[in-house]
Amino acid sequence: MVDLMLPELTSQAQSSVSGVTILTSTIKKALCAGGDVAACAESIVDGNPGYGADFFQKEYNLNYLISTFPKPYVSLMDGITMGGGCGISLHAPFRVATEKTKLAMPEMDIGFFPDVGTTFFLPKLDDKLGYYYALTGSVMSGVDAYLAGFATHFVPSDQIDALINRLANLQPPKINGQATAGMDVIYNNSEYFAQVNQVLEEFSVNQLPEGAKFPFTGDELATINAAFSQKSIESVFEYLEKQGSPFAAKLLDTLKKKPTSSLKVAFELLKRGSTNTIRKQLEQEMIAATNIQCIPVEDNDFVKGVSHKLIKKIKEPFFPEWTAASKIDDAFVQKVVTPSINTTKYLREPLLNKYFGIDFKQYPFHMGLPTNQQIAEFIAGADGSNRSYLPTPKEVVAHFDKKTNHKAGVAEKVTAALAVHGDASKYDGKYVSWRN
């Protein structure tokens, strides 16, 4: 699939007649359930780590191409979207969830780390939700994915075909009477991206399904934010143990079932992804993935996890006997994430093709629900309004409801953010200030 998509997407990006690119599937059950990592694990056992290194390098090149794609790219996550399926979806400016969406990054359960560029995407989510979903591997519904920021729009599944037809007939804006489908004038053409967004909003629900709510209570969200703001995975464990709530205990129990190697490597990569550019972070993942291919079989949790869950398909016990935590120290982590003789031996140069010469620390477009930063700036009057007084919580919700043209889920997202960061204690509960 990767070999087919790379040249096709490159051609569409450079075409003078191609406009919107739509990622969809002919299989109704799934968009993409992930990469064929079983072959990678089997190759490690056979003494051929180069196979996996080549596999991941091709895949990450595709992820980088999508993340820097110069034209509107719409991912229709209608069904199972996991692992590699997230890599070809989450970097898109337009990410559509439906009631059939089941989204997850389950790499922790196979002794790997959340990859395909998600260690760049996930730290961008508010209140460390990216860390939570990465390290627990929890499966999200379409509504959960939308409210948490994984999806930018929520469209009923039975409207997908009509949406595709509408997008396919959307004409790029003209400049001086000339068509603008060429790559040079499409990239960052805000008018064109706004047109695509408007079409998606036309097909999006006016309100979330009955009973839908933000996936976590205010207390749970605060626990997630505080836990994964710790400096190390060991400190995360310590915080959850001291916090002591039923939610914290359940979260701690979930994390303790994951391999220490995956937890520590993933946590390190997520921290780096919060400051790296998209290209540098994908290269960082490429180094880590290649080094993991070269870990001896007896200590290789990736081989153990894939063999147990995907090859032998053992259901009880659900997890294999992971490598002892005593062997997974900070030196082990640094060895995994640092360039080595393995990267020199098995990777082609450059690690990632530059494609369109585009790189960034933040995605160029934000088409989803309001972010914490946007909410904080509005409350402080730092959003260009120069407002000198604090708003009420209702005014905050009303502002973003109007700003997004009544986008479904705004009230749920803003209310969840205020539950963690809103401080009305100084103003008799009437007006709200923002606290980090």
Side-chain angles (χ1 to χ4, degrees):
M1 186 186 76
V2 171
D3 287 339
L4 290 171
M5 286 184 68
L6 270 167
E8 178 64 24
L9 283 176
T10 302
S11 175
Q12 288 193 27
Q14 297 171 335
S15 171
S16 61
V17 295
S18 173
V20 178
T21 290
I22 305 168
L23 177 71
T24 186
S25 171
T26 58
I27 301 173
K28 294 189 179 298
K29 184 179 180 180
L31 173 66
C32 175
D36 184 13
V37 293
C40 300
E42 289 173 331
S43 294
I44 295 172
V45 175
D46 293 337
N48 179 24
Y51 175 87
D54 183 65
F55 174 93
F56 289 114
Q57 185 169 8
K58 287 180 179 179
E59 186 178 21
Y60 298 175
N61 266 283
L62 175 62
N63 304 143
Y64 182 48
L65 171 61
I66 291 170
S67 68
T68 58
F69 204 70
K71 299 180 180 181
Y73 179 101
V74 181
S75 172
L76 302 177
M77 303 181 291
D78 185 30
I80 297 170
T81 306
M82 298 185 181
C86 292
I88 56 176
S89 300
L90 296 183
H91 302 296
F94 305 101
R95 309 179 298 277
V96 177
T98 75
E99 73 278 8
K100 295 181 179 179
T101 299
K102 293 185 182 299
L103 193 149
M105 289 298 295
E107 286 78 6
M108 306 300 289
D109 290 348
I110 58 169
F112 203 53
F113 62 87
D115 64 331
V116 291
T118 61
T119 58
F120 178 85
F121 174 90
L122 294 167
K124 308 296 184 291
L125 298 181
D126 290 331
D127 294 317
K128 302 295 183 176
L129 280 177
Y131 283 68
Y132 173 88
Y133 283 111
L135 300 178
T136 64
S138 298
V139 179
M140 287 165 271
S141 67
V143 170
D144 287 352
Y146 174 62
L147 290 173
F150 286 83
T152 59
H153 299 79
F154 189 88
V155 175
S157 183
D158 61 8
Q159 292 295 304
I160 291 296
D161 288 343
L163 172 60
I164 291 174
N165 184 62
R166 178 79 168 84
L167 289 171
N169 287 284
L170 184 65
Q171 297 298 313
K174 293 184 177 181
I175 298 178
N176 297 325
Q178 301 296 315
T180 60
M183 184 177 67
D184 292 341
V185 289
I186 285 293
Y187 181 69
N188 273 355
N189 186 318
S190 57
E191 181 182 350
Y192 193 21
F193 280 75
Q195 286 182 5
V196 174
N197 188 58
Q198 182 177 349
V199 170
L200 288 166
E201 292 294 353
E202 290 173 6
F203 283 85
S204 297
V205 296
N206 294 322
Q207 60 183 26
L208 297 180
E210 185 177 355
K213 59 183 179 179
F214 198 81
F216 303 98
T217 66
D219 287 342
E220 291 170 347
L221 190 58
T223 296
I224 290 171
N225 188 35
F228 295 114
S229 294
Q230 305 300 311
K231 293 182 179 181
S232 67
I233 197 66
E234 291 85 358
S235 297
V236 173
F237 280 26
E238 290 174 6
Y239 172 83
L240 292 173
E241 287 174 350
K242 291 179 181 178
Q243 207 272 356
S245 69
F247 176 78
K250 183 179 178 180
L251 175 54
L252 179 60
D253 181 64
T254 298
L255 293 174
K256 283 185 174 180
K257 293 176 181 176
K258 311 300 181 183
T260 303
S261 59
S262 292
L263 287 170
K264 290 179 71 73
V265 169
F267 199 81
E268 176 66 21
L269 290 173
L270 287 165
K271 288 196 297 182
R272 295 189 181 202
S274 66
T275 58
N276 280 343
T277 66
I278 180 65
R279 186 171 191 265
K280 185 174 181 180
Q281 188 60 19
L282 276 163
E283 288 185 338
Q284 177 65 83
E285 287 188 6
M286 186 69 259
I287 291 166
T290 300
N291 284 331
I292 286 174
Q293 306 309 296
C294 300
I295 294 174
V297 173
E298 61 271 16
D299 292 326
N300 196 315
D301 284 332
F302 175 60
V303 172
K304 294 177 183 179
V306 172
S307 176
H308 189 92
K309 189 172 183 179
L310 302 182
I311 298 176
K312 297 179 181 178
K313 299 183 178 179
I314 300 173
K315 297 187 181 298
E316 293 293 341
F318 187 72
F319 296 110
E321 186 175 337
W322 302 117
T323 301
S326 59
K327 291 187 176 183
I328 313 299
D329 55 12
D330 290 340
F332 170 88
V333 176
Q334 291 306 312
K335 188 175 181 180
V336 170
V337 301
T338 303
S340 66
I341 190 173
N342 298 324
T343 54
T344 302
K345 182 176 181 180
Y346 295 114
L347 297 182
R348 302 183 303 275
E349 292 291 343
L351 296 183
L352 291 170
N353 292 321
K354 291 186 177 181
Y355 291 109
F356 314 117
I358 300 164
D359 201 7
F360 49 78
K361 287 191 173 184
Q362 296 288 339
Y363 292 103
F365 295 98
H366 175 76
M367 303 295 181
L369 292 170
T371 64
N372 280 4
Q373 181 178 344
Q374 291 172 323
I375 298 170
E377 288 175 350
F378 170 72
I379 290 175
D383 59 342
S385 66
N386 296 318
R387 177 175 34 78
S388 59
Y389 58 89
L390 292 173
T392 67
K394 287 185 178 180
E395 286 174 336
V396 180
V397 173
H399 168 79
F400 285 102
D401 181 56
K402 181 179 180 181
K403 184 180 178 68
T404 61
N405 195 26
H406 313 296
K407 192 176 180 75
V410 165
E412 288 81 356
K413 172 59 200 294
V414 173
T415 301
L418 293 180
V420 177
H421 302 283
D423 184 2
S425 61
K426 301 177 183 178
Y427 307 100
D428 300 324
K430 295 181 180 180
Y431 305 103
V432 64
S433 58
W434 184 269
R435 60 188 175 201
N436 291 320

